[in-house]
Amino acid sequence: MPIMDLTNLTIAILYSETGRPSHGGRLINLLKPYWDGWGAKIVELQGTQNYVPADIIIVHVDLSVVPIDYQRFAQQYPRQINADVLDIRKSSVCDHLLSANDPYSGRVLAKTDLNYAGLPEAVEAHLSQRKPNRTNILRYLARKANSARMKLVNRSSPIKTKRDYRVFQNLGCVPNNYRREDIVLQKFMPEFLGEKYVLREYYFLGNIGYINVEVSDDPIFTTGEQIETFIGAPPAAVTALCEKLNLGYGKIDYAIHNNEAVVFDVNKTVGTVGDHSVGAGKIAQALAAGIFFYLK
């Protein structure tokens, strides 16, 4: 297929039943205009009820644990991106996790096991309270029960948003209310540039990757001072994690600590944050071209 020619190609994007295809804060919404401009037809699907033929499907379900129904639905398509990525909880993708009795004396990072402090799950549960417009009553009742559970979890958890993530001096300093099944404890292994903390973000689609490097005075941050951006490959450990998960589109947050890549977070429904974010810059076109990797 000639470069930048997607004529006669249909790209399906699969969201959850309560997903928001037009949500402006998603990187994929900055890639779609390039695909459209190169001749592709884009169809957006909410839930797994209606099959629409397409040449390739991107599973874009904003949940840490994706119901297997989405994988089965995506397997109907000849090419799939992220159909096999069913679990990106930190307990599944991060190394250097700790239990309360581990013989470790260093600093400890406390964060939710679910992505983004579990807020996507809370939103999904809240929206699922709406009465269904189809006759799937059993699924509706199950969602109502899950909604009640999420409200209980959020009420009792000390972590309501990512701002509530904490770094403690050692395991003994972790308070009891942070010792929960829905909170993971990870060795805090930061990277420094001078006295500032470093965060590396690897954005990718197919064989095209982009690395954004930011620094901050805060040990935990999402958007800091951008110091470097470049197209390139991440450390081998990050690439190996992508291969292990069969993750073809997404973002991985990591740092380099004593020459080791330490993964903090994996995301498969990438957002755009700040004026200098990857999605807001010229790199969106380069990432959009990663779709050709799946059309060989």
Side-chain angles (χ1 to χ4, degrees):
M1 176 177 292
I3 190 66
M4 305 312 179
D5 182 6
L6 296 178
T7 305
N8 300 322
L9 186 88
T10 300
I11 301 172
I13 304 174
L14 177 61
Y15 302 88
S16 70
E17 289 187 15
T18 57
R20 294 177 291 168
S22 61
H23 182 21
R26 297 296 181 189
L27 173 60
I28 200 162
N29 288 324
L30 298 173
L31 306 184
K32 288 187 296 185
Y34 291 104
W35 298 333
D36 179 74
W38 297 336
K41 176 184 177 182
I42 299 171
V43 296
E44 296 180 313
L45 308 173
Q46 287 188 269
T48 59
Q49 289 81 17
N50 299 313
Y51 173 81
V52 177
D55 301 286
I56 186 169
I57 188 169
I58 304 170
V59 179
H60 199 275
V61 177
D62 191 12
L63 297 170
S64 296
V65 179
V66 177
I68 198 168
D69 286 355
Y70 289 94
Q71 181 189 50
R72 292 170 177 159
F73 181 84
Q75 286 172 343
Q76 300 176 91
Y77 292 83
R79 304 176 184 89
Q80 307 136 28
I81 299 176
N82 289 357
D84 297 330
V85 187
L86 300 179
D87 186 354
I88 57 166
R89 289 175 296 179
K90 297 177 184 69
S91 57
S92 298
V93 302
C94 293
D95 293 325
H96 305 293
L97 300 183
L98 297 163
S99 60
N101 298 319
D102 282 342
Y104 175 72
S105 60
R107 289 197 288 174
V108 176
L109 173 60
K111 53 190 176 180
T112 53
D113 195 14
L114 297 174
N115 237 30
Y116 206 73
L119 289 179
E121 281 75 10
V123 170
E124 176 86 1
H126 173 72
L127 293 177
S128 295
Q129 284 187 311
R130 299 174 179 176
K131 291 184 178 180
N133 55 12
R134 298 179 178 89
T135 58
N136 195 343
I137 301 300
L138 288 177
R139 182 172 292 182
Y140 171 60
L141 293 174
R143 284 179 173 164
K144 285 195 69 176
N146 185 58
S147 177
R149 181 186 66 80
M150 284 304 304
K151 286 184 177 181
L152 179 61
V153 169
N154 286 342
R155 187 183 302 122
S156 61
S157 174
I159 299 181
K160 305 295 192 299
T161 71
K162 288 186 70 174
R163 290 191 295 266
D164 298 320
Y165 290 4
R166 292 289 183 268
V167 174
F168 297 101
Q169 194 62 30
N170 53 55
L171 276 171
C173 294
V174 179
N176 288 335
N177 63 334
Y178 275 82
R179 299 176 184 268
R180 304 163 46 99
E181 289 185 357
D182 55 351
I183 293 177
V184 297
L185 304 177
Q186 183 181 26
K187 293 180 181 180
F188 185 55
M189 303 168 66
E191 177 182 354
F192 288 99
L193 181 64
E195 296 183 353
K196 292 183 179 290
Y197 293 91
V198 177
L199 174 65
R200 298 175 182 267
E201 301 170 315
Y202 174 53
Y203 297 82
F204 56 94
L205 172 59
N207 61 344
I208 297 179
Y210 169 84
I211 296 175
N212 183 56
V213 185
E214 299 181 356
V215 297
S216 174
D217 293 323
D218 297 323
I220 304 172
F221 65 98
T222 298
T223 303
E225 175 191 353
Q226 187 181 59
I227 61 169
E228 187 178 19
T229 60
F230 58 94
I231 294 175
V238 175
T239 301
L241 179 59
C242 292
E243 292 174 352
K244 175 184 175 182
L245 298 173
N246 199 14
L247 182 66
Y249 166 72
K251 177 174 79 80
I252 294 181
D253 294 344
Y254 68 99
I256 304 295
H257 179 87
N258 292 338
N259 296 318
E260 177 186 357
V262 179
V263 172
F264 299 129
D265 185 74
V266 172
N267 195 315
K268 54 186 171 47
T269 53
V270 186
T272 57
V273 182
D275 293 336
H276 61 255
S277 71
V278 57
K282 61 182 181 180
I283 201 65
Q285 181 176 0
L287 285 181
I291 197 76
F292 290 95
F293 176 77
Y294 296 96
L295 305 178
K296 298 176 182 178

